[in-house]
Amino acid sequence: MTTTHFDHLIVGGGMVADTAARGIRELDADGSIGILSDDVDAPYTRPALSKKLWTDDEFTWEKVPLGTADDTGADIRLRTRVTAIRPDAREVDADGQTYTYGTLLLATGGKPVPLPIEDRSNGARALTFRTAEDYRRLRSLADEVDRIAVVGGGYIGSELAAALVQNGVDTVLIHTGAVLGDAVFPAALAERFEKLFRDAGVEIVAGSKVTGGEADATGARLELENGDVVRSDAVVSGLGIDVATDLAESAGLTVDDGIVVDAQLRTSTDGVWAAGDVASYPDRILGRRRVEHVDNANEQGRAAGRNLAGAAEPYTHTPYYYSAVFGIRYEAVGTLDAALDTVEDWIDPERGIVYYLDDDRVVGVLLWNVEDARDAARKVLAEAGTLSRDDLAGRIR
């Protein structure tokens, strides 16, 4: 077994790895950087996979790669699966080789939740959606078949359904809610959101959970909990991710809904940091949380990289998340849960702010077609203890 040493080693090859390498280079111009990734592509802009690549003709594939190696000098090892971490020895095993490190960043993200069906197509007609390779497979299918089912009504599922129908695919969206978006939006807004999809031609199968079925070379048959069956030429899962904490747990790191880190993104073990989807961190405004969105990946990756290089700085950014479908864009900071009390403040019929309150305290802010207001939303959350419901109208414009 050969051994390779890196001053800074990153496990995971997503957007966190890219910004972490750039963060390292802000303070350490010469230290060696290794990135171990089980992906087949070097770091790329992940949001484009369900957004611009489908809807913006000017956003071509050449704009997807992030140029990590060229810009930072990082040594990126693709198709490389890490199997063990030994923090005491500062060693990592991957594909028959041992890597030693000075500092280690875990940016392992997560794996997409698969469908509970028998796949006899070997992935040709039943897909999960997470990587650039998944995008290429779905894009190819969209050109080859007539009807594709999307399972899941969250961010990825709704974006994929919008992308497919706008590219001429007969699309059916299966989700468990009564109305699309009703887990996060107030009732009337969820109705408006679902109408965007229906008006575009998406068939909505609501209140339904896929419990079985199969896929083969001819298509997919999905069995629903209520006994109904949905047939399509292919199916893609948009059911979210299972967080990849196995390596951290086996290495003895503290794990609790993600790898637990402190304000500097340090894990419970010396010399090891974590960032991105996998990290449970103490947000300075909102408290401990784990965030699976690109703004957090970018900002937390950079902060972790700087700290690998010795900055010893707290991560103070409160991230936002966003989605864009059918010409509308919504952004959010904090907790969006339709079960919470809400205060709606509409600027006009197409633009507005929704505040989410828990025990009369604002814990989340939704910006519906409202631009350049994320900092204002963060300010509301930071001052939530001093604001009453009556203070919210007109506060963000």
Side-chain angles (χ1 to χ4, degrees):
M1 182 178 289
T2 60
T3 300
T4 301
H5 179 79
F6 288 106
D7 296 321
H8 309 290
L9 183 60
I10 301 168
V11 177
M15 298 185 76
V16 171
D18 172 77
T19 56
R22 296 174 191 277
I24 290 168
R25 284 290 176 251
E26 291 177 13
L27 297 179
D28 182 352
D30 302 316
S32 58
I33 302 172
I35 298 175
L36 307 181
S37 172
D38 61 3
D39 205 334
V40 300
D41 295 279
Y44 47 84
T45 176
R46 195 182 299 276
L49 304 182
S50 59
K51 297 183 178 72
K52 280 191 171 185
L53 281 170
W54 297 90
T55 59
D56 185 348
D57 291 339
E58 295 183 359
F59 194 92
T60 54
W61 185 258
E62 294 74 29
K63 298 180 181 180
V64 175
L66 294 170
T68 310
D70 288 343
D71 293 347
T72 69
D75 182 347
I76 303 175
R77 309 286 178 99
L78 299 175
R79 298 179 175 86
T80 301
R81 181 173 174 268
V82 173
T83 54
I85 299 169
R86 292 182 294 280
D88 291 343
R90 300 209 173 199
E91 292 179 342
V92 169
D93 290 341
D95 293 345
Q97 184 168 350
T98 294
Y99 297 85
T100 60
Y101 61 85
T103 60
L104 176 66
L105 173 62
L106 299 182
T108 47
K111 299 295 183 184
V113 176
L115 293 166
I117 67 174
E118 182 183 356
D119 180 17
R120 296 194 295 271
S121 75
N122 195 30
R125 295 298 179 100
L127 290 69
T128 54
F129 196 88
R130 177 73 172 171
T131 67
E133 181 65 12
D134 295 333
Y135 162 78
R136 290 189 289 265
R137 291 168 59 211
L138 185 60
R139 191 75 196 224
S140 178
L141 269 176
D143 293 334
E144 296 170 5
V145 305
D146 295 324
R147 177 175 168 85
I148 296 178
V150 179
V151 181
Y155 292 98
I156 294 299
S158 61
E159 289 177 0
L160 288 179
L164 289 168
V165 78
Q166 289 177 98
N167 281 269
V169 178
D170 179 10
T171 305
V172 54
L173 176 58
I174 304 168
H175 69 96
T176 57
V179 178
L180 187 62
D182 64 359
V184 291
F185 302 138
L189 186 56
E191 294 278 0
R192 287 174 55 186
F193 185 64
E194 182 176 281
K195 188 174 184 298
L196 293 170
F197 290 78
R198 293 191 183 278
D199 288 351
V202 177
E203 178 187 345
I204 303 287
V205 179
S208 301
K209 181 180 180 180
V210 175
T211 56
E214 70 264 339
D216 58 26
T218 64
R221 185 180 66 85
L222 306 175
E223 299 171 356
L224 307 185
E225 194 171 35
N226 64 2
D228 289 346
V229 172
V230 173
R231 296 182 183 274
S232 59
D233 298 314
V235 59
V236 57
S237 172
L239 294 173
I241 63 171
D242 288 324
V243 186
T245 59
D246 291 353
L247 284 170
E249 290 184 64
S250 297
L253 278 61
T254 300
V255 172
D256 183 7
D257 184 32
I259 302 172
V260 176
V261 298
D262 66 9
Q264 294 184 25
L265 307 178
R266 297 174 297 193
T267 71
S268 57
T269 298
D270 186 50
V272 184
W273 285 253
D277 295 353
V278 76
S280 169
Y281 77 99
D283 189 278
R284 68 184 183 91
I285 296 175
L286 301 170
R288 183 163 293 277
R289 60 192 45 232
R290 191 178 57 78
V291 177
E292 297 177 11
H293 293 278
V294 63
D295 183 44
N296 186 60
N298 285 336
E299 296 295 331
Q300 206 169 76
R302 175 177 177 266
R306 288 178 59 84
N307 286 341
L308 261 66
E313 298 167 342
Y315 176 62
T316 59
H317 181 69
T318 295
Y320 80 100
Y321 44 101
Y322 77 102
S323 186
V325 292
F326 302 120
I328 66 101
R329 177 185 172 99
Y330 64 89
E331 302 176 349
V333 183
T335 299
L336 267 59
D337 184 341
L340 295 172
D341 189 15
T342 56
V343 173
E344 300 184 43
D345 183 17
W346 290 92
I347 301 167
D348 59 46
E350 302 303 323
R351 297 183 301 137
I353 300 94
V354 180
Y355 300 95
Y356 292 73
L357 287 73
D358 188 358
D359 196 21
D360 277 340
R361 182 187 180 96
V362 180
V363 295
V365 181
L366 169 66
L367 306 168
W368 188 270
N369 280 335
V370 176
E371 299 180 357
D372 302 322
R374 296 189 293 268
D375 285 342
R378 292 184 182 103
K379 189 171 188 291
V380 167
L381 291 168
E383 298 174 353
T386 67
L387 300 176
S388 69
R389 299 170 65 95
D390 295 338
D391 294 326
L392 299 177
R395 194 166 190 89
I396 296 177
R397 283 294 182 265

